[in-house]
Short mmCIF file of all heavy atoms in Angstrom, two decimals:
data_model
loop_
_atom_site.label_atom_id
_atom_site.label_comp_id
_atom_site.label_asym_id
_atom_site.label_seq_id
_atom_site.Cartn_x
_atom_site.Cartn_y
_atom_site.Cartn_z
N LEU A 1 0.84 -1.20 0.00
CA LEU A 1 0.00 0.00 0.00
C LEU A 1 0.87 1.25 0.00
O LEU A 1 2.03 1.22 0.44
CB LEU A 1 -0.91 0.00 1.22
CG LEU A 1 -1.89 -1.17 1.34
CD1 LEU A 1 -2.63 -1.10 2.67
CD2 LEU A 1 -2.88 -1.16 0.18
N PRO A 2 0.34 2.37 -0.46
CA PRO A 2 1.11 3.62 -0.37
C PRO A 2 1.24 4.05 1.08
O PRO A 2 0.37 3.76 1.90
CB PRO A 2 0.24 4.60 -1.18
CG PRO A 2 -1.14 4.06 -1.08
CD PRO A 2 -0.99 2.56 -1.07
N GLY A 3 2.32 4.72 1.39
CA GLY A 3 2.45 5.27 2.73
C GLY A 3 3.52 4.64 3.60
O GLY A 3 3.60 4.95 4.79
N ALA A 4 4.38 3.78 3.04
CA ALA A 4 5.41 3.14 3.85
C ALA A 4 6.38 4.17 4.42
O ALA A 4 6.79 4.07 5.58
CB ALA A 4 6.16 2.10 3.02
N THR A 5 6.75 5.16 3.62
CA THR A 5 7.68 6.19 4.10
C THR A 5 7.02 7.01 5.20
O THR A 5 7.65 7.32 6.23
CB THR A 5 8.11 7.10 2.95
OG1 THR A 5 8.77 6.33 1.94
CG2 THR A 5 9.07 8.18 3.45
N ILE A 6 5.75 7.37 5.01
CA ILE A 6 5.02 8.12 6.03
C ILE A 6 4.91 7.29 7.31
O ILE A 6 5.02 7.82 8.42
CB ILE A 6 3.62 8.51 5.52
CG1 ILE A 6 3.74 9.45 4.32
CG2 ILE A 6 2.80 9.16 6.62
CD1 ILE A 6 4.47 10.74 4.63
N ALA A 7 4.70 6.00 7.16
CA ALA A 7 4.62 5.13 8.34
C ALA A 7 5.93 5.13 9.10
O ALA A 7 5.95 5.18 10.34
CB ALA A 7 4.25 3.70 7.92
N THR A 8 7.05 5.09 8.38
CA THR A 8 8.35 5.11 9.04
C THR A 8 8.56 6.43 9.79
O THR A 8 9.04 6.44 10.92
CB THR A 8 9.48 4.92 8.01
OG1 THR A 8 9.24 3.73 7.26
CG2 THR A 8 10.83 4.82 8.69
N LEU A 9 8.19 7.54 9.15
CA LEU A 9 8.29 8.83 9.81
C LEU A 9 7.39 8.89 11.04
O LEU A 9 7.76 9.44 12.08
CB LEU A 9 7.90 9.95 8.83
CG LEU A 9 8.82 10.18 7.64
CD1 LEU A 9 8.20 11.20 6.70
CD2 LEU A 9 10.19 10.64 8.10
N THR A 10 6.20 8.31 10.92
CA THR A 10 5.27 8.30 12.05
C THR A 10 5.84 7.52 13.22
O THR A 10 5.64 7.89 14.39
CB THR A 10 3.92 7.69 11.62
OG1 THR A 10 3.39 8.43 10.51
CG2 THR A 10 2.91 7.74 12.76
N GLY A 11 6.55 6.44 12.93
CA GLY A 11 7.19 5.68 13.99
C GLY A 11 8.15 6.54 14.80
O GLY A 11 8.20 6.46 16.03
N GLY A 12 8.92 7.38 14.12
CA GLY A 12 9.81 8.29 14.82
C GLY A 12 9.06 9.40 15.52
O GLY A 12 9.41 9.80 16.64
N PHE A 13 8.03 9.92 14.87
CA PHE A 13 7.24 11.02 15.43
C PHE A 13 6.56 10.61 16.74
O PHE A 13 6.54 11.36 17.71
CB PHE A 13 6.20 11.46 14.40
CG PHE A 13 5.26 12.52 14.91
CD1 PHE A 13 5.72 13.79 15.22
CD2 PHE A 13 3.91 12.24 15.07
CE1 PHE A 13 4.85 14.76 15.68
CE2 PHE A 13 3.04 13.21 15.53
CZ PHE A 13 3.51 14.47 15.84
N LEU A 14 6.02 9.39 16.76
CA LEU A 14 5.27 8.94 17.93
C LEU A 14 6.16 8.34 19.01
O LEU A 14 5.86 8.49 20.21
CB LEU A 14 4.22 7.90 17.51
CG LEU A 14 3.03 8.39 16.70
CD1 LEU A 14 2.14 7.22 16.30
CD2 LEU A 14 2.23 9.42 17.49
N PHE A 15 7.23 7.66 18.61
CA PHE A 15 7.98 6.86 19.58
C PHE A 15 9.46 7.25 19.68
O PHE A 15 10.23 6.52 20.31
CB PHE A 15 7.86 5.38 19.23
CG PHE A 15 6.44 4.91 19.04
CD1 PHE A 15 5.95 4.62 17.78
CD2 PHE A 15 5.59 4.79 20.13
CE1 PHE A 15 4.64 4.19 17.60
CE2 PHE A 15 4.28 4.37 19.97
CZ PHE A 15 3.79 4.07 18.70
N ALA A 16 9.85 8.35 19.03
CA ALA A 16 11.25 8.79 19.00
C ALA A 16 12.10 7.81 18.19
O ALA A 16 11.60 6.80 17.69
CB ALA A 16 11.81 8.95 20.41
N THR A 17 13.38 8.11 18.05
CA THR A 17 14.24 7.25 17.24
C THR A 17 14.28 5.83 17.79
O THR A 17 14.28 4.85 17.05
CB THR A 17 15.66 7.83 17.17
OG1 THR A 17 15.60 9.16 16.64
CG2 THR A 17 16.55 6.98 16.28
N PHE A 18 14.30 5.74 19.13
CA PHE A 18 14.16 4.43 19.78
C PHE A 18 13.11 4.58 20.88
O PHE A 18 13.16 5.52 21.65
CB PHE A 18 15.48 3.95 20.39
CG PHE A 18 15.39 2.56 20.96
CD1 PHE A 18 15.58 1.47 20.13
CD2 PHE A 18 15.08 2.35 22.30
CE1 PHE A 18 15.49 0.19 20.64
CE2 PHE A 18 14.97 1.08 22.81
CZ PHE A 18 15.17 -0.01 21.98
N PRO A 19 12.09 3.70 20.88
CA PRO A 19 11.99 2.43 20.14
C PRO A 19 11.33 2.53 18.77
O PRO A 19 10.98 1.50 18.18
CB PRO A 19 11.13 1.58 21.07
CG PRO A 19 10.20 2.56 21.70
CD PRO A 19 10.99 3.82 21.89
N GLY A 20 11.16 3.75 18.25
CA GLY A 20 10.50 3.88 16.95
C GLY A 20 11.15 3.08 15.85
O GLY A 20 10.47 2.41 15.05
N ALA A 21 12.50 3.13 15.78
CA ALA A 21 13.20 2.38 14.74
C ALA A 21 12.97 0.88 14.91
O ALA A 21 12.81 0.15 13.91
CB ALA A 21 14.69 2.69 14.79
N LEU A 22 12.93 0.41 16.15
CA LEU A 22 12.69 -1.02 16.39
C LEU A 22 11.30 -1.41 15.93
O LEU A 22 11.13 -2.44 15.27
CB LEU A 22 12.85 -1.33 17.88
CG LEU A 22 12.60 -2.78 18.30
CD1 LEU A 22 13.59 -3.72 17.61
CD2 LEU A 22 12.69 -2.93 19.81
N PHE A 23 10.29 -0.60 16.24
CA PHE A 23 8.93 -0.88 15.78
C PHE A 23 8.88 -0.90 14.25
O PHE A 23 8.23 -1.76 13.64
CB PHE A 23 7.96 0.18 16.31
CG PHE A 23 7.77 0.15 17.80
CD1 PHE A 23 7.30 1.26 18.48
CD2 PHE A 23 8.07 -0.98 18.55
CE1 PHE A 23 7.12 1.25 19.85
CE2 PHE A 23 7.90 -1.02 19.93
CZ PHE A 23 7.43 0.11 20.58
N ASN A 24 9.56 0.06 13.63
CA ASN A 24 9.57 0.13 12.16
C ASN A 24 10.21 -1.11 11.54
O ASN A 24 9.69 -1.67 10.57
CB ASN A 24 10.31 1.38 11.70
CG ASN A 24 9.51 2.66 11.91
OD1 ASN A 24 8.28 2.62 11.96
ND2 ASN A 24 10.19 3.78 12.04
N VAL A 25 11.33 -1.52 12.09
CA VAL A 25 12.05 -2.67 11.53
C VAL A 25 11.24 -3.95 11.71
O VAL A 25 11.15 -4.78 10.80
CB VAL A 25 13.44 -2.80 12.18
CG1 VAL A 25 14.10 -4.12 11.77
CG2 VAL A 25 14.33 -1.63 11.77
N ILE A 26 10.65 -4.13 12.89
CA ILE A 26 9.83 -5.33 13.14
C ILE A 26 8.65 -5.37 12.18
O ILE A 26 8.35 -6.42 11.58
CB ILE A 26 9.34 -5.35 14.60
CG1 ILE A 26 10.52 -5.62 15.55
CG2 ILE A 26 8.26 -6.42 14.80
CD1 ILE A 26 10.16 -5.50 17.02
N ALA A 27 7.96 -4.24 12.03
CA ALA A 27 6.78 -4.21 11.16
C ALA A 27 7.16 -4.43 9.69
O ALA A 27 6.51 -5.21 8.98
CB ALA A 27 6.07 -2.87 11.32
N ALA A 28 8.23 -3.76 9.24
CA ALA A 28 8.64 -3.90 7.84
C ALA A 28 9.10 -5.33 7.55
O ALA A 28 8.80 -5.89 6.49
CB ALA A 28 9.76 -2.91 7.52
N THR A 29 9.82 -5.93 8.48
CA THR A 29 10.28 -7.31 8.29
C THR A 29 9.11 -8.27 8.25
O THR A 29 9.07 -9.20 7.41
CB THR A 29 11.24 -7.72 9.42
OG1 THR A 29 12.36 -6.82 9.44
CG2 THR A 29 11.74 -9.13 9.23
N THR A 30 8.12 -8.08 9.11
CA THR A 30 6.95 -8.95 9.12
C THR A 30 6.16 -8.83 7.83
O THR A 30 5.75 -9.85 7.23
CB THR A 30 6.04 -8.60 10.32
OG1 THR A 30 6.79 -8.69 11.53
CG2 THR A 30 4.86 -9.55 10.40
N GLY A 31 5.94 -7.60 7.38
CA GLY A 31 5.22 -7.41 6.12
C GLY A 31 5.97 -7.97 4.94
O GLY A 31 5.38 -8.58 4.04
N ALA A 32 7.30 -7.77 4.92
CA ALA A 32 8.13 -8.31 3.84
C ALA A 32 8.08 -9.83 3.82
O ALA A 32 8.03 -10.45 2.75
CB ALA A 32 9.56 -7.84 3.99
N THR A 33 8.07 -10.44 5.00
CA THR A 33 8.01 -11.90 5.09
C THR A 33 6.69 -12.42 4.53
O THR A 33 6.65 -13.47 3.89
CB THR A 33 8.18 -12.35 6.54
OG1 THR A 33 9.44 -11.86 7.04
CG2 THR A 33 8.16 -13.86 6.66
N ALA A 34 5.61 -11.69 4.75
CA ALA A 34 4.31 -12.09 4.21
C ALA A 34 4.34 -12.12 2.68
O ALA A 34 3.85 -13.07 2.05
CB ALA A 34 3.22 -11.15 4.70
N ILE A 35 4.94 -11.08 2.08
CA ILE A 35 5.06 -11.06 0.61
C ILE A 35 5.95 -12.19 0.13
O ILE A 35 5.67 -12.87 -0.86
CB ILE A 35 5.62 -9.70 0.14
CG1 ILE A 35 4.65 -8.58 0.47
CG2 ILE A 35 5.88 -9.74 -1.36
CD1 ILE A 35 5.14 -7.22 0.04
N PHE A 36 7.06 -12.39 0.82
CA PHE A 36 8.00 -13.46 0.46
C PHE A 36 7.31 -14.82 0.45
O PHE A 36 7.45 -15.60 -0.50
CB PHE A 36 9.16 -13.45 1.46
CG PHE A 36 10.10 -14.62 1.35
CD1 PHE A 36 11.14 -14.60 0.45
CD2 PHE A 36 9.94 -15.74 2.16
CE1 PHE A 36 12.02 -15.68 0.34
CE2 PHE A 36 10.80 -16.82 2.06
CZ PHE A 36 11.84 -16.79 1.16
N LEU A 37 6.56 -15.11 1.51
CA LEU A 37 5.87 -16.41 1.60
C LEU A 37 4.81 -16.55 0.52
O LEU A 37 4.65 -17.63 -0.06
CB LEU A 37 5.25 -16.56 2.99
CG LEU A 37 6.24 -16.74 4.14
CD1 LEU A 37 5.51 -16.74 5.47
CD2 LEU A 37 7.05 -18.02 3.97
N ALA A 38 4.09 -15.47 0.25
CA ALA A 38 3.06 -15.52 -0.80
C ALA A 38 3.68 -15.78 -2.16
O ALA A 38 3.17 -16.58 -2.96
CB ALA A 38 2.26 -14.22 -0.81
N ALA A 39 4.82 -15.10 -2.44
CA ALA A 39 5.48 -15.28 -3.72
C ALA A 39 6.07 -16.68 -3.85
O ALA A 39 5.98 -17.31 -4.91
CB ALA A 39 6.58 -14.23 -3.89
N ARG A 40 6.66 -17.18 -2.77
CA ARG A 40 7.25 -18.52 -2.84
C ARG A 40 6.16 -19.58 -2.97
O ARG A 40 6.33 -20.56 -3.68
CB ARG A 40 8.13 -18.79 -1.62
CG ARG A 40 8.91 -20.10 -1.78
CD ARG A 40 10.04 -20.21 -0.80
NE ARG A 40 9.56 -20.48 0.54
CZ ARG A 40 10.38 -20.74 1.58
NH1 ARG A 40 11.69 -20.71 1.40
NH2 ARG A 40 9.90 -20.99 2.77
N TRP A 41 5.06 -19.40 -2.24
CA TRP A 41 3.96 -20.34 -2.34
C TRP A 41 3.39 -20.37 -3.75
O TRP A 41 3.05 -21.42 -4.29
CB TRP A 41 2.87 -19.96 -1.33
CG TRP A 41 1.63 -20.78 -1.41
CD1 TRP A 41 0.46 -20.45 -2.03
CD2 TRP A 41 1.42 -22.08 -0.86
NE1 TRP A 41 -0.46 -21.45 -1.90
CE2 TRP A 41 0.10 -22.46 -1.18
CE3 TRP A 41 2.22 -22.95 -0.12
CZ2 TRP A 41 -0.43 -23.69 -0.79
CZ3 TRP A 41 1.69 -24.16 0.27
CH2 TRP A 41 0.38 -24.52 -0.06
N GLY A 42 3.28 -19.19 -4.37
CA GLY A 42 2.65 -19.12 -5.68
C GLY A 42 3.58 -19.43 -6.84
O GLY A 42 3.17 -20.06 -7.81
N LEU A 43 4.83 -18.99 -6.74
CA LEU A 43 5.72 -19.09 -7.90
C LEU A 43 7.10 -19.65 -7.58
O LEU A 43 7.70 -20.32 -8.42
CB LEU A 43 5.90 -17.69 -8.52
CG LEU A 43 4.65 -16.98 -9.02
CD1 LEU A 43 5.00 -15.54 -9.39
CD2 LEU A 43 4.05 -17.70 -10.21
#
């Protein structure tokens, strides 16, 4: 979806650099893993 950059900025805005960066990395990794699994399952 559009808005990944805004989401990352929001993580810093709401939670400061830390733990904001940790929240951002966990969320991005989880979402990326979902795409990875879907792509591997399908193709």
Side-chain angles (χ1 to χ4, degrees):
L1 299 175
T5 300
I6 296 300
T8 306
L9 294 173
T10 303
F13 176 66
L14 290 177
F15 308 108
T17 303
F18 185 86
L22 179 61
F23 293 158
N24 286 335
V25 171
I26 290 174
T29 301
T30 304
T33 302
I35 295 180
F36 171 85
L37 291 174
R40 189 164 73 174
W41 175 261
L43 300 171

